[in-house]
């Protein structure tokens, strides 16, 4: 991809960036803007590794701009606030998710759905309103308009709270919007990774019964015993899937790679909903008849608005929904990416930025 114009900002920053579609990350010096009157600046302490970071460092969606500093599950402590900032002060525990800007005036923005604003600015690898490129949370500092800053409730540990900023809201929002949050319903969660395991936890906290549909037999015991799933199906086992046909009111599909959706439609009851949140680089194959029979619906969902993100945090704090994480050092990030590709993490890597990110200059 062509390099966008980059201005030198006054504040020095340091992080790890991918330089090309090999996706390999290495130390990188850059700069961040001065804290504007509506801005909150914070020292980054932890950042989750989302599978979207992996898609992006490898340019799998074709939109990556290098050098690319990933990271959109960013938490830390406020170091400076602009003079018009109303809701935050120095020392507050805060986070930034997938967006750092939106137009604030379109229909989506007025509906608190900044995530669907056509001018939404992603936290990294996007062109900001001042023409410069955004850099994510695999870095020492962050600055954003206070509208896009979320407060982390006191009873959630900062490291485990980080994945809620993307994985959490991405599954919470469709559970609510598609009405899959009613006690007594039964839903399926496909793919037990970062998003999937939080989906299980939120659904259970809402009183919903959960069937996990996974390619990994080694995740079964823990899913049932620790995550509280009610049943577990191996997606490559046709007999198991057929035995569960017509049992689910809805499905949240978090799978990051191309996979068959036909068997998933079979698992739905009449009027059931298949909601895609995973974003494979290649198209999925969809046939008409399985949808017509039983009036089934296929939908999608992308993260969530800021208001709902704060609501999700408050719900997580109240119901003790905490992601299961493996905390790793910054130097481990390339290995973590390799393991993530193999679905070898229970269930989210979180980088200890505060203790392990070392500046080179
Ligand atoms: P993840 O931790 O890697 O989890 C994905 C899970 O999918 C894996 O753990 C694995 O679960 C399953 N899986 C992987 N490859 C598969 C294959 N070939 N066939 C069937 N199942 C497979 O990733 P994540 O961070 O949760 O993200 C998941 C996807 O959601 C990514 O595509 C990401 O970009 C996307 N995403 C979307 C949004 C949004 O706003 N919609 C937000 C964040 C992320 P099992 O071992 O259980 O099979
Ligand atoms: Zn993400
Ligand atoms: Zn807008």
């Amino acid at each position: 991809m062509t390099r966008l114009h980059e201005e030198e900002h006054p504040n020095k920053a340091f992080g790890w960036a991918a330089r090309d579609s090999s996706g390999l990350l290495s130390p990188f010096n850059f700069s961040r803007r001065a804290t504007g009157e509506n801005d909150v600046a914070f020292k980054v302490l932890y950042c989750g590794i989302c599978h979207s970071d992996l898609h992006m460092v490898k340019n799998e969606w074709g939109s990556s701009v290098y050098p690319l500093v990933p990271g959109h599950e960013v938490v830390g402590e406020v170091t400076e606030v602009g003079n018009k900032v109303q809701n935050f002060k120095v020392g507050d525990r805060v986070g930034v998710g997938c967006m750092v800007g939106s137009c604030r005036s379109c229909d989506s923005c007025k509906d608190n759905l900044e995530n669907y604003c056509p001018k939404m600015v992603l936290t990294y690898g996007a062109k900001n309103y001042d023409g410069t490129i955004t850099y994510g949370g695999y870095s020492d500092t962050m600055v954003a308009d206070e509208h896009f800053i979320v407060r982390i409730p006191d009873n959630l540990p900062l490291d485990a709270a980080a994945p809620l900023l993307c994985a959490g809201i991405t599954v919470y929002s469709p559970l609510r919007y598609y009405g899959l949050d009613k006690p007594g319903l039964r839903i399926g969660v496909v793919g037990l990774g970062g998003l999937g395991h939080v989906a299980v936890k939120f659904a259970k906290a809402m009183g919903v019964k959960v069937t996990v549909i996974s390619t990994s037999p080694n995740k079964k015991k823990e899913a049932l015993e620790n995550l509280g799933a009610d049943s577990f199906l191996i997606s490559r086992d046709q007999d198991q899937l057929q035995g569960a046909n017509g049992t689910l009111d809805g499905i949240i599909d978090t799978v990051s790679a191309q996979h068959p959706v036909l068997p998933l439609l079979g698992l739905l009851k009449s009027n059931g909903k298949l909601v895609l949140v995973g974003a494979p680089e290649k198209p999925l194959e969809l046939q008409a008849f399985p949808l017509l029979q039983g009036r089934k619906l296929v939908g999608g969902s992308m993260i969530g608005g800021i208001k709902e993100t704060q609501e999700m945090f408050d719900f997580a704090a109240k119901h003790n929904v905490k992601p299961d994480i493996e905390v790793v050092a910054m130097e481990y990030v390339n290995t973590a990416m390799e393991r993530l590709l193999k679905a070898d993490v229970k269930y989210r890597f979180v980088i200890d930025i505060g203790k392990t990110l070392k500046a080179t200059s």
Side-chain angles (χ1 to χ4, degrees), residues 49-55 61 72-73 98 166-167 169-171 189-197 212-219 232 235-236 253-260 276-281 300-304 339-345 347-348:
I49 301 182
C50 178
H51 203 114
S52 300
D53 299 344
L54 182 51
H55 291 303
W61 295 329
H72 57 208
E73 294 181 339
C98 300
C166 174
I169 184 62
T170 299
V171 296
V189 171
V190 194
L192 198 61
L195 269 58
H197 94 287
V212 171
I213 300 133
S214 169
T215 59
S216 307
N218 67 338
K219 293 180 183 171
F232 191 98
S235 50
R236 288 172 180 150
D253 183 341
T254 75
V255 175
S256 49
Q258 205 176 26
H259 61 290
L276 304 175
V277 292
E281 58 177 309
S301 191
M302 193 178 75
I303 46 175
R339 283 182 51 196
L340 184 59
L341 190 59
K342 294 186 283 186
D344 174 24
V345 53
Y347 287 93
R348 191 59 130 195

Side-chain angles (χ1 to χ4, degrees), residues 50-330:
C50 178
H51 203 114
S52 300
D53 299 344
L54 182 51
H55 291 303
M56 283 295 288
V57 294
K58 295 193 165 179
N59 196 21
E60 288 178 354
W61 295 329
S63 62
S64 301
V65 174
Y66 298 102
L68 185 139
V69 177
H72 57 208
E73 294 181 339
V74 200
V75 294
E77 206 175 281
V78 175
T79 49
E80 191 181 9
V81 296
N83 56 21
K84 289 198 176 149
V85 166
Q86 310 230 322
N87 299 314
F88 300 95
K89 59 178 189 331
V90 171
D92 283 356
R93 290 154 31 103
V94 296
V96 157
C98 300
M99 344 170 240
V100 288
S102 74
C103 84
R104 314 284 297 278
S105 59
C106 71
D107 288 349
S108 293
C109 284
K110 282 188 204 147
D111 281 347
N112 295 310
L113 292 168
E114 303 89 343
N115 49 321
Y116 299 124
C117 170
K119 293 183 178 163
M120 185 258 276
V121 181
L122 291 167
T123 300
Y124 65 81
K127 201 172 177 179
N128 213 335
Y129 291 119
D130 63 3
T132 62
I133 307 157
T134 56
Y135 293 113
Y138 296 10
S139 65
D140 55 356
T141 56
M142 183 58 74
V143 60
D145 186 294
E146 75 163 323
H147 184 79
F148 295 90
I149 303 275
V150 178
R151 181 177 302 284
I152 313 292
D154 285 342
N155 64 336
L156 287 177
L158 269 192
D159 52 1
L164 293 174
L165 285 155
C166 174
I169 184 62
T170 299
V171 296
Y172 179 91
S173 184
L175 284 170
R176 291 287 195 219
Y177 175 75
Y178 286 101
L180 301 174
D181 55 350
K182 312 281 178 293
L185 291 183
R186 182 179 279 274
I187 68 153
V189 171
V190 194
L192 198 61
L195 269 58
H197 94 287
V198 186
V200 175
K201 291 188 180 213
F202 273 130
K204 291 304 295 178
M206 291 166 181
V208 172
K209 289 205 165 61
V210 180
T211 298
V212 171
I213 300 133
S214 169
T215 59
S216 307
N218 67 338
K219 293 180 183 171
K220 178 173 180 177
K221 189 167 185 286
E222 205 186 328
L224 296 173
E225 289 174 10
N226 297 352
L227 296 177
D230 299 279
S231 58
F232 191 98
L233 302 171
I234 300 296
S235 50
R236 288 172 180 150
D237 183 332
Q238 296 302 321
D239 293 343
Q240 269 193 27
L241 288 194
Q242 276 179 13
N245 266 352
T247 59
L248 303 177
D249 298 287
I251 291 177
I252 304 284
D253 183 341
T254 75
V255 175
S256 49
Q258 205 176 26
H259 61 290
V261 292
L262 185 62
L264 302 178
L265 294 173
L267 293 174
L268 292 172
K269 296 178 188 169
S270 289
N271 307 318
K273 298 164 188 169
L274 170 63
V275 183
L276 304 175
V277 292
E281 58 177 309
K282 297 205 182 99
L284 302 174
E285 194 178 312
L286 197 61
Q287 286 147 349
F289 274 101
L291 289 177
L292 312 189
Q293 291 155 347
R295 204 164 57 175
K296 291 169 187 170
L297 194 102
V298 177
S301 191
M302 193 178 75
I303 46 175
I306 296 296
K307 185 166 179 273
E308 194 176 34
T309 303
Q310 191 67 63
E311 176 193 313
M312 176 271 313
F313 264 105
D314 297 340
F315 181 92
K318 185 170 172 204
H319 296 272
N320 201 27
V321 173
K322 279 204 300 266
D324 293 356
I325 57 170
E326 180 176 336
V327 178
V328 296
M330 191 68 243

